[in-house]
């Protein structure tokens, strides 16, 4: 008994050390399997508001944060109704369900009389990835939030920026996951057993698309070769099919920003991938792609982006650190091209400027380009015959600051012989300074 107690305490201490050493505690996340009923749903799941799709295996992700308009992030089906939005609206607008409707609307930051208009802008889709969200149960007349991991195959409604908004089978309102995707503890309980194909590294959270798409590009979960263009705010009646196996060409992205590269890939029907748990800064410069520009991929496939870091090194394509630091604003960047404004902050001030060495600023640790205090002057040597034929002309054309104070005696004596201390320091190029030429 004593040995068992000691081992238990030791295990607790180890888990506590992991939390304390990181300074970022694990976020408890409740797993929600497809087809498993909720214990405290907003609406009766037997009412047929929505139905999950079984047998959908989670796709492997190349980055834990994905934009809501990423091609192939969500799936569809030939089934006419995976989420009955009209039935959900009837339930929420029924006066007998006013308390639930009020709690539901509060989660979505809307008024109860704005529920019909809000629902008209939502689009039903199926998850193709195990997806982190903030879920809500209905308990004692209130919406109770909790973090959950929704299994691939669950039917949801997404908003105009591709964010999960409603879990269809129970009508529970959803909000974006706010925790650190790399610091979660997934709990499989209340009938939600660990599903086949679950991989911790393939869990994703969805970020809002930077621009509202007119349609969402889906992949049929039953026929992956079939793509579906679904206009935003429709339930499938206006779907248009396309060939998801048709080759998509990887565009040339070297020199663009990470944000711009993501937009170009989305326009090409491809997804932006990166190494680590957090995406690089929007203004980080892309140096290479994997596969390279000109390669052909099927719809929705990931293109891994390698970006330049502030110290001139690169990260990405599976070789970089977990989080890529932003480029430094105190030195040159590669390549030194102009940069569009970033959505996360104003662009770097040195993006279009020449390297610091060409502007007269030395590197840290290199000799200063400004004059340094000279050693104490020694007595001026006695004048000696000078080879210069015109001493007066030479003294008149020399700038007053080009000679030391001790050589400023009035004419007619000729100037002293040239010495290293008589020339300005700035006219001498540094021998151990920056690798590029210092401007004279």
């Amino acid at each position: 008994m004593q040995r068992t107690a000691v081992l238990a305490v030791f295990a607790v201490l180890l888990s506590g050390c992991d939390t304390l050493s990181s300074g970022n505690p694990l976020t408890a996340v409740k797993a929600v399997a497809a087809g498993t009923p909720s214990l405290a749903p907003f609406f009766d799941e037997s009412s047929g508001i929505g139905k999950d799709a079984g047998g959908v295996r989670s796709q492997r992700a190349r980055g834990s944060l994905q934009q809501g308009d990423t091609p192939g992030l969500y799936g569809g089906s030939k089934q006419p109704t995976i989420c009955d939005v009209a039935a959900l609206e009837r339930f929420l607008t029924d006066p007998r369900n006013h308390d639930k409707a009020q709690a539901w609307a509060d989660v979505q930051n809307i008024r109860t009389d704005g529920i019909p208009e809000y629902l008209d802008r939502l689009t039903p889709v199926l998850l193709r990835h195990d997806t982190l969200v903030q879920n809500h149960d209905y308990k004692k007349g209130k919406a109770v939030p909790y973090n959950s991991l929704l299994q691939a195959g669950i039917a949801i409604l997404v908003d105009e920026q591709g964010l999960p908004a409603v879990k269809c089978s129970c009508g529970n309102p959803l909000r974006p996951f706010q925790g650190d995707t790399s610091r979660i503890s997934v709990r499989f309980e209340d009938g939600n057993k660990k599903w086949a194909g679950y991989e911790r590294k393939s869990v994703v959270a969805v970020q809002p698309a930077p621009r509202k798409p007119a349609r969402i590009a889906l992949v049929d979960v039953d026929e992956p070769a079939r793509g579906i263009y679904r206009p935003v705010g429709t339930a499938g009646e206006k779907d248009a099919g396309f060939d998801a196996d048709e080759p998509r060409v990887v565009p040339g992205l070297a020199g663009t920003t990470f944000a711009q590269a993501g937009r170009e890939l989305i326009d090409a029907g491809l997804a932006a991938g990166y190494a680590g748990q957090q995406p690089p800064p929007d203004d980080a410069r892309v140096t290479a792609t994997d596969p390279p520009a000109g390669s052909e991929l099927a719809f929705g496939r990931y293109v891994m982006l390698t970006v330049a870091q502030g110290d001139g090194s690169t990260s990405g394509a599976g070789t970089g650190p977990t989080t890529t630091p932003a480029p430094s604003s105190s030195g040159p960047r590669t390549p030194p091209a102009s940069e569009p404004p970033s959505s996360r902050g104003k662009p770097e001030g040195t993006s279009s400027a020449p390297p610091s060495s060409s502007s007269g600023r030395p590197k840290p640790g290199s000799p200063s380009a400004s004059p340094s205090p000279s050693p104490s002057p020694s007595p001026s040597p006695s004048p000696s015959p000078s080879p210069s034929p015109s001493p007066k002309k030479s003294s008149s054309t020399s700038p007053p600051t080009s000679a030391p104070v001790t050589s400023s005696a009035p004419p007619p004596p000729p100037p002293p012989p040239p010495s290293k201390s008589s020339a300005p320091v700035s006219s001498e190029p540094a021998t151990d300074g920056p690798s590029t030429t210092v401007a004279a």
Side-chain angles (χ1 to χ4, degrees):
M1 287 293 292
Q2 290 180 347
R3 183 180 179 183
T4 303
V6 170
L7 291 176
V9 171
F10 184 67
V12 171
L13 289 176
L14 284 179
S15 62
C17 288
D18 177 65
T19 300
L20 294 174
S21 62
S22 66
N24 186 9
L26 296 176
T27 299
V29 175
K30 180 181 178 180
V32 178
T36 303
S38 300
L39 296 181
F42 260 73
F43 312 111
D44 184 2
E45 297 195 47
S46 63
S47 61
I49 293 179
K51 183 179 180 181
D52 299 335
V56 178
R57 194 177 186 89
S58 178
Q59 302 298 304
R60 188 174 182 182
R62 304 294 184 183
S64 63
L65 294 177
Q66 296 293 322
Q67 292 183 353
D69 57 350
T70 299
L73 176 65
Y74 298 121
S77 172
K78 291 181 180 179
Q79 296 292 332
T81 303
I82 59 173
C83 192
D84 193 339
V85 181
L88 180 59
E89 180 179 337
R90 288 194 297 271
F91 191 98
L92 288 169
T93 55
D94 190 328
R96 294 173 297 180
N97 302 320
H98 175 74
D99 291 342
K100 284 187 175 182
Q102 184 64 62
W104 193 94
D106 288 343
V107 173
Q108 305 293 6
N109 296 318
I110 60 176
R111 294 165 54 92
T112 54
D113 57 5
I115 288 177
E117 181 183 355
Y118 176 75
L119 291 175
D120 287 343
R121 301 196 301 267
L122 304 183
T123 309
V125 299
L126 293 169
L127 295 178
R128 295 185 72 226
H129 299 269
D130 295 339
T131 305
L132 290 165
V133 297
Q134 186 187 69
N135 206 339
H136 295 80
D137 277 339
Y138 184 76
K139 296 179 179 179
K140 298 180 179 180
K142 295 181 179 180
V144 180
Y146 66 97
N147 294 308
S148 67
L149 177 66
L150 304 184
Q151 184 187 7
I154 288 180
I156 65 170
L157 291 171
V158 297
D159 68 9
E160 294 175 294
Q161 292 180 291
L163 291 175
V166 181
K167 186 175 182 293
C168 292
S169 64
C170 59
N172 287 5
L174 306 175
R175 298 293 296 170
F177 178 74
Q178 299 295 331
D180 184 347
T181 57
S182 66
R183 301 286 300 168
I184 61 173
S185 175
V186 181
R187 300 175 180 176
F188 295 84
E189 54 192 11
D190 298 331
N192 296 283
K193 297 181 180 180
K194 184 178 293 186
W195 48 81
Y198 167 73
E199 290 186 19
R200 170 63 191 84
K201 60 185 178 181
S202 291
V203 169
V204 304
V206 183
Q207 298 183 113
R211 50 186 177 177
K212 294 180 180 180
R215 62 186 183 182
I216 301 177
L218 312 174
V219 171
D220 194 317
V221 296
D222 299 316
E223 302 177 24
R226 175 177 177 262
I228 302 171
Y229 285 131
R230 178 165 296 171
V232 172
T234 64
E237 67 278 3
K238 297 181 179 180
D239 285 355
F242 66 91
D243 185 1
D245 284 342
E246 182 180 355
R248 310 293 174 119
V249 179
V250 177
L253 301 174
T256 64
T257 64
F258 180 78
Q260 182 180 353
R263 291 192 296 269
E264 292 191 26
L265 286 173
I266 288 174
D267 292 340
L270 300 171
Y274 56 88
Q277 291 293 329
Q278 300 295 327
D282 281 351
D283 57 359
R285 288 287 172 179
V286 175
T287 59
T289 62
D290 182 20
S295 303
E296 294 185 345
L297 298 173
F299 172 82
R301 296 296 177 87
Y302 284 94
V303 176
M304 296 296 290
L305 301 177
T306 301
V307 301
Q309 299 193 55
D311 57 3
S313 61
T314 59
S315 70
T319 61
T322 300
T323 304
T324 305
S328 171
S329 60
S330 61
R333 303 198 320 170
T334 304
S338 59
E339 178 177 275
S342 166
S343 61
R344 296 191 180 183
K346 60 182 180 180
E348 300 287 346
T350 58
S351 59
S352 60
S356 60
S357 56
S358 63
S359 61
R361 291 181 297 175
K363 290 183 180 179
S366 63
S368 173
S370 59
S372 57
S374 57
S376 301
S378 58
S380 176
S382 59
S384 59
S386 173
S388 174
S390 304
K392 290 185 179 181
K393 183 177 180 181
S394 174
S395 61
S396 63
T397 58
S398 299
T401 60
S402 62
V405 176
T406 56
S407 64
S408 60
S419 64
K420 292 183 179 181
S421 62
S422 63
V425 178
S426 59
S427 65
E428 293 287 343
T431 58
D432 58 348
S435 58
T436 53
T437 305
V438 178

